[in-house]
Amino acid sequence: MNLARWLGVVVTALGILVLCRFAFSSEKAIELEGERLIYLLKDEEVLVVSGKLTYEDIILTASEIRVFLRDERLEARGNVRVTRKDEGFTAEEVVYSWKEDWWRSKKVSSEITGKGIEGKLFFRGEVVEEKDDTMTIEGARLTSCDLSEPHYYIEARRIVIYPNKKVVLYHLSYFDFGRRLFSLPSYAFFLNQKEQLPLLPMVGYSRATGYYLTYYHNYFPNDTSFGTVELSFWEKIGWKLSITHYIDNEKKNEKGKINVEYLDRKGAPPKVTAKGEYSRRFGKTLDLSSNFSYAQTVGENDAVLSAQALLTYTEKKLQSKLTASYTGNSPQESSALSATWVTSYDLGGIAAKTQVVFREDARFGAYTDRDLQYEVALQKTAEKYTYTLRYTGHEDLEGDVYTGDFVRFVRKIPELEVVRKKERLGKSDFTWQAGVLLGHYAEEDTGVVDERLHLFLDLEGKSTLAKDTTLASKLRFEQNFYGNGFARYVFSGSFAFEKRLSEAFRLSLSYNRAGYAGATPFRFDYTTPKTEFLGLGVAYEEGPWNIRFESGYDTLSGVFSEGVLEVSYEESATKNVEVRGSYDFNEGTFTGVVVELSWPLSREWHIGLSGGWDPVSGELEALRVRLTRDLHCREISLFYDRSQDTFWIEYGIKAFPGQTVKIGGE
């Protein structure tokens, strides 16, 4: 026997398991099992026949496995199956380098799942390479059909998969109904969202637009950005060019979207619009989010621009937020700028908060109003109570008596608030909470300067009066005292009685009332008028049937609320019908009927309908009818919209709900 090569373990009987462990890095280990295992000492190579390899969360089985310990690499051939966590694939050959975390496989079959996919996608590839969290497939075929001979499939020269994000296909062809239907230079679909990029051109006719054509071109300059160019022509309207560009860089925590549109309507000057949004996280402490919109008619002085931005800084004890917004309106010759800076800091048991607000409102050639508001607050929670001390102020920066001031401010100089936390009332099912506010206030709008003591009490709970009978109650009482001798109380309350008359029938009655008495010197203390309302509800639920009726009566105005009767039958999402009718008790007339229907006509055919009927005019409203043919993994639908007086056809793959090819329609 050659001493340079020696046979470590030979197991000739089938079914006998041999386990071998090799340490090839600090603490990582590889486990091998097989019918026969050979260790070549000189080459530091392990050969496993009909074996299994386990490394971290990877399990690999194959007819033959070769492990090269010196190169930290393995090769597997024949009926290779790889499982990683909940994912896996099969292949004829696999090469894996655990040193570089790099895979290369041949003749691969696997699956793709994601939030943007209903079910699974199945793919096959001639050569698959996986590195740096990216999978590249050469010579690929993709489908969601689970049959051995799929109804449809997509062939692509190359597919790049970004796990849990998106799939990009290059030089693809779509096959269905036994033939190739179309080819595209590139396309992408998302795994982490329902919204997908447009796929094919749209052609059709509608009463409002005449004949129309919309062409889409998707582009993918790199793995972190992509976009769509849209060109549309309408016979009666004109044409439009639109570009939408996206940024999605997970490594930099960066996302963005910008859309620029040029619309040339017949008989009107062209119009340019743009809108965008952008967000990014810098390190672990700083976050930025922003958006803007812009619109202008070419050759006109009617530009409108608005923009907002939020910058947030967060540390263990400190949080600071800066919010800014701007609006410029050329037609109204005005602009508005505001900035708010809020800072919270933990002083060790006491929370300190500061807020500074700057506003500038300008009417070109008339006035410019600048205001600065500020607030300082200290808050401490001790056992059952929370104490808050606030001081607020306001400065009219430009100092003019007339500025067209839009901001009416109430100075709190200062205000003390004490609130007791909500807790159970004895051993009952009710909870209570109380609090007090005491402060000195200066109201700029009225010029009133006075003290105010505000007391409040909240009660809330639900009682079981008898079997299948409950009463839910809610009460809020407020009492105000003012330095000038005024006093006022405000109350609001509600009772909700519910009785189950049988397994199917349920009755509910409700009563709501609110009111006040007394006077207040402050405008900010005004409250809503007195209210008193009775409500009635009846419900019947038995199997797929559901019947509900609701109405009410305003005792102060003597007016009934609209009575609404709803009858529905639902066996599933694709087999249900709902009818809603409304009745005006004050006028003694029906005000409308709405119907929604989704019903199978057979195993393959399905109908859907939605619309309403106006009893006053006798007209059908918003009537839309859909007839759908189920094609296993796809479906095709014919639509009719009465309000637009138009028909259209939609063809879609079930794996991508909402993403359809549309011909005709609006």
Side-chain angles (χ1 to χ4, degrees):
M1 180 181 293
N2 190 344
L3 295 179
R5 293 187 176 185
W6 58 281
L7 186 60
V9 178
V10 178
V11 179
T12 58
L14 292 176
I16 299 180
L17 202 62
V18 179
L19 175 63
C20 186
R21 297 176 180 263
F22 299 94
F24 54 83
S25 62
S26 55
E27 295 182 355
K28 297 178 180 179
I30 187 171
E31 297 182 6
L32 295 173
E33 303 174 24
E35 295 179 4
R36 193 168 47 150
L37 187 149
I38 302 172
Y39 178 46
L40 305 177
L41 182 61
K42 182 179 179 181
D43 298 329
E44 296 188 34
E45 177 184 341
V46 181
L47 171 62
V48 185
V49 178
S50 297
K52 174 183 176 182
L53 177 146
T54 303
Y55 167 60
E56 294 187 327
D57 60 351
I58 300 171
I59 299 176
L60 181 150
T61 60
S63 300
E64 179 183 292
I65 305 174
R66 289 182 178 270
V67 182
F68 304 93
L69 300 176
R70 185 182 302 162
D71 300 330
E72 299 185 15
R73 176 175 56 88
L74 70 84
E75 296 179 1
R77 293 182 178 85
N79 299 320
V80 184
R81 178 162 187 84
V82 179
T83 304
R84 290 173 296 176
K85 297 181 180 178
D86 297 329
E87 300 177 347
F89 65 88
T90 60
E92 290 187 5
E93 295 183 16
V94 169
V95 178
Y96 174 57
S97 169
W98 56 81
K99 181 179 181 180
E100 300 178 355
D101 195 19
W102 169 84
W103 293 85
R104 184 177 177 85
S105 310
K106 294 182 180 181
K107 303 292 184 181
V108 177
S109 298
S110 187
E111 302 171 352
I112 304 173
T113 59
K115 186 170 66 174
I117 300 173
E118 193 75 27
K120 298 178 180 180
L121 291 178
F122 309 97
F123 76 82
R124 295 192 318 219
E126 293 297 320
V127 179
V128 177
E129 185 173 316
E130 185 175 354
K131 188 176 182 181
D132 299 329
D133 296 326
T134 301
M135 181 184 293
T136 302
I137 308 169
E138 304 290 344
R141 174 181 285 198
L142 184 71
T143 183
S144 62
C145 186
D146 56 3
L147 300 179
S148 57
E149 293 294 332
H151 287 113
Y152 86 94
Y153 58 90
I154 299 171
E155 286 187 351
R157 188 179 303 173
R158 180 164 61 97
I159 295 179
V160 181
I161 301 176
Y162 303 91
N164 301 318
K165 289 182 59 180
K166 63 184 177 183
V167 178
V168 184
L169 303 91
Y170 297 93
H171 303 287
L172 64 106
S173 296
Y174 182 89
F175 293 81
D176 203 343
F177 306 106
R179 64 186 63 192
R180 181 169 63 181
L181 298 184
F182 62 86
S183 297
L184 292 174
S186 60
Y187 184 68
F189 59 85
F190 303 101
L191 303 174
N192 57 357
Q193 64 185 47
K194 293 291 186 182
E195 183 182 358
Q196 303 291 343
L197 295 175
L199 179 59
L200 290 176
M202 294 174 54
V203 294
Y205 173 85
S206 72
R207 182 176 58 183
T209 65
Y211 292 100
Y212 67 84
L213 167 66
T214 299
Y215 174 77
Y216 303 102
H217 173 72
N218 301 305
Y219 61 91
F220 310 92
N222 53 54
D223 61 347
T224 61
S225 65
F226 53 93
T228 299
V229 179
E230 175 187 336
L231 182 61
S232 299
F233 295 91
W234 300 278
E235 180 188 10
K236 297 181 180 180
I237 296 178
W239 66 278
K240 179 184 74 173
L241 175 64
S242 172
I243 301 175
T244 305
H245 187 78
Y246 301 84
I247 298 174
D248 188 359
N249 192 329
E250 190 173 355
K251 292 182 179 179
K252 292 185 178 181
N253 294 303
E254 180 183 33
K255 296 194 73 172
K257 175 183 177 181
I258 184 170
N259 171 262
V260 180
E261 181 177 294
Y262 181 90
L263 176 62
D264 189 354
R265 287 181 173 270
K266 291 184 176 181
K271 188 172 184 178
V272 177
T273 59
K275 56 184 178 180
E277 54 191 48
Y278 178 80
S279 64
R280 183 172 180 179
R281 166 165 286 189
F282 300 87
K284 297 182 179 180
T285 58
L286 192 62
D287 290 275
L288 170 67
S289 62
S290 60
N291 63 80
F292 82 95
S293 65
Y294 174 82
Q296 182 177 13
T297 304
V298 177
E300 301 289 339
N301 184 27
D302 63 350
V304 177
L305 170 66
S306 66
Q308 294 82 34
L310 170 63
L311 194 63
T312 304
Y313 179 83
T314 305
E315 285 189 349
K316 187 175 182 180
K317 293 187 176 183
L318 172 68
Q319 184 180 72
S320 185
K321 291 185 177 181
L322 177 61
T323 306
S325 66
Y326 173 81
T327 301
N329 193 312
S330 297
Q332 297 182 4
E333 297 185 334
S334 65
S335 67
L337 172 67
S338 69
T340 303
W341 183 23
V342 180
T343 301
S344 301
Y345 190 80
D346 185 358
L347 298 175
I350 298 178
K353 175 185 175 182
T354 61
Q355 177 174 293
V356 179
V357 181
F358 171 79
R359 288 188 176 93
E360 179 185 273
D361 293 288
R363 182 75 68 175
F364 304 155
Y367 63 81
T368 299
D369 180 30
R370 297 187 182 92
D371 292 275
L372 182 68
Q373 304 171 20
Y374 50 89
E375 176 181 335
V376 179
L378 298 174
Q379 187 176 84
K380 180 177 178 60
T381 300
E383 296 181 349
K384 298 181 179 181
Y385 295 91
T386 299
Y387 306 87
T388 306
L389 179 64
R390 301 183 185 91
Y391 183 90
T392 63
H394 174 226
E395 298 295 334
D396 199 346
L397 297 180
E398 83 287 342
D400 295 339
V401 176
Y402 169 73
T403 62
D405 284 305
F406 299 108
V407 177
R408 302 302 183 185
F409 197 77
V410 178
R411 291 188 175 93
K412 302 174 182 179
I413 43 181
E415 176 188 73
L416 175 64
E417 178 183 34
V418 181
V419 178
R420 182 186 174 94
K421 73 175 184 179
K422 183 184 294 187
E423 61 182 359
R424 186 179 298 275
L425 186 63
K427 296 182 179 181
S428 69
D429 294 328
F430 284 79
T431 60
W432 72 283
Q433 186 178 31
V436 57
L437 283 87
L438 175 63
H440 184 73
Y441 303 89
E443 188 175 60
E444 293 183 354
D445 197 15
T446 58
V448 174
V449 179
D450 206 345
E451 289 76 35
R452 172 179 176 264
L453 174 63
H454 174 79
L455 308 170
F456 76 87
L457 173 66
D458 287 331
L459 291 173
E460 183 177 357
K462 190 173 184 179
S463 303
T464 301
L465 304 181
K467 183 181 179 181
D468 298 325
T469 306
T470 60
L471 178 66
S473 309
K474 184 182 292 186
L475 172 68
R476 181 177 179 88
F477 181 82
E478 302 176 21
Q479 176 70 61
N480 296 329
F481 298 99
Y482 304 94
N484 65 354
F486 285 8
R488 185 192 66 164
Y489 69 83
V490 181
F491 69 90
S492 62
S494 66
F495 297 96
F497 172 85
E498 186 171 300
K499 171 69 175 178
R500 183 172 290 277
L501 304 175
S502 66
E503 289 296 324
F505 275 104
R506 188 173 70 252
L507 171 70
S508 61
L509 299 171
S510 63
Y511 176 72
N512 296 270
R513 186 178 179 184
Y516 64 92
T520 171
F522 294 113
R523 180 172 292 178
F524 78 85
D525 231 359
Y526 286 2
T527 187
T528 57
K530 299 177 181 179
T531 60
E532 189 172 18
F533 187 80
L534 291 169
L536 167 68
V538 179
Y540 171 84
E541 298 178 9
E542 182 72 28
W545 287 98
N546 192 318
I547 302 174
R548 296 175 181 273
F549 174 79
E550 292 182 354
S551 186
Y553 179 71
D554 190 323
T555 60
L556 297 181
S557 64
V559 176
F560 284 94
S561 64
E562 198 172 59
V564 178
L565 175 64
E566 177 183 313
V567 181
S568 64
Y569 178 90
E570 181 175 0
E571 290 189 17
S572 65
T574 57
K575 191 175 183 179
N576 60 82
V577 60
E578 180 179 313
V579 180
R580 296 188 302 275
S582 53
Y583 183 82
D584 189 332
F585 289 101
N586 305 295
E587 299 293 332
T589 59
F590 286 97
T591 56
V593 177
V594 177
V595 178
E596 294 185 10
L597 169 72
S598 179
W599 204 264
L601 301 177
S602 66
R603 185 176 178 181
E604 293 82 15
W605 291 95
H606 188 277
I607 190 172
L609 182 147
S610 64
W613 176 63
D614 187 343
V616 178
S617 64
E619 293 288 333
L620 293 174
E621 298 179 336
L623 176 63
R624 175 174 290 189
V625 182
R626 170 185 55 82
L627 183 62
T628 298
R629 175 71 159 87
D630 191 316
L631 301 173
H632 184 252
C633 50
R634 310 96 72 226
E635 61 183 19
I636 186 168
S637 300
L638 172 65
F639 287 86
Y640 169 70
D641 190 319
R642 186 177 183 276
S643 62
Q644 301 294 334
D645 190 22
T646 183
F647 290 87
W648 71 93
I649 295 174
E650 291 187 11
Y651 169 85
I653 297 171
K654 293 181 180 179
F656 301 100
Q659 179 72 356
T660 61
V661 177
K662 182 179 177 183
I663 301 176
E666 191 65 30

